[in-house]
Amino acid sequence: MAYSETRIVIGGLAHVPVLIFIANFIKGRFSVKKEEVKDNVVKEETVKKIEAKEKVVIEEKANAIKELSNKLDNIEQKADEVAEKVKKKKKDKKKKKKKDMKRD
């Protein structure tokens, strides 16, 4: 049995409210309910500030920076040494593989 285009469109439009009802029903079942938010007031205690002389602070920062840069240099040197060792091991493995291939 064939249906005309208008009948199909009207049937589709008739189902739209049903689909909207179902979607709203599901949304209502699984939605999170809002709770009232209570404002909590926290009293902050005043903190005594100790002011240091700027020169002392600057010298401490400079010393800390020097120490960190020295440590970083040491780490970089160790990393370079490790990288060289790894390269040597890879070369040795390649040489061993070539020797084994020639023997076979």
Side-chain angles (χ1 to χ4, degrees):
M1 173 187 257
Y3 295 105
S4 66
E5 289 181 29
T6 54
R7 190 170 183 169
I8 292 171
V9 170
I10 291 171
L13 291 175
H15 284 86
V16 170
V18 174
L19 295 173
I20 291 173
F21 173 76
I22 292 170
N24 284 335
F25 179 75
I26 293 171
K27 184 177 158 184
R29 282 284 189 197
F30 296 107
S31 67
V32 177
K33 296 181 180 179
K34 296 179 183 177
E35 295 181 7
E36 292 182 23
V37 178
K38 296 180 181 178
D39 292 330
N40 293 332
V41 179
V42 178
K43 295 181 181 178
E44 295 182 18
E45 296 180 13
T46 57
V47 178
K48 295 180 182 178
K49 294 182 181 179
I50 300 172
E51 296 182 19
K53 294 181 181 178
E54 290 182 21
K55 292 181 182 179
V56 174
V57 173
I58 292 172
E59 289 176 6
E60 289 177 2
K61 285 182 182 179
N63 291 336
I65 290 171
K66 286 180 185 177
E67 289 177 20
L68 289 175
S69 64
N70 290 337
K71 288 180 183 178
L72 181 61
D73 290 338
N74 291 337
I75 291 171
E76 287 177 350
Q77 289 175 354
K78 288 179 183 178
D80 291 338
E81 291 173 4
V82 170
E84 289 176 16
K85 287 180 182 178
V86 169
K87 286 180 184 178
K88 287 181 183 178
K89 286 184 180 180
K90 285 183 180 179
K91 286 181 183 178
D92 292 341
K93 285 183 181 179
K94 286 182 182 179
K95 287 180 183 177
K96 286 182 182 178
K97 284 183 182 179
K98 286 182 181 179
K99 288 181 182 178
D100 291 339
M101 295 288 278
K102 287 182 182 178
R103 289 183 186 170
D104 293 334

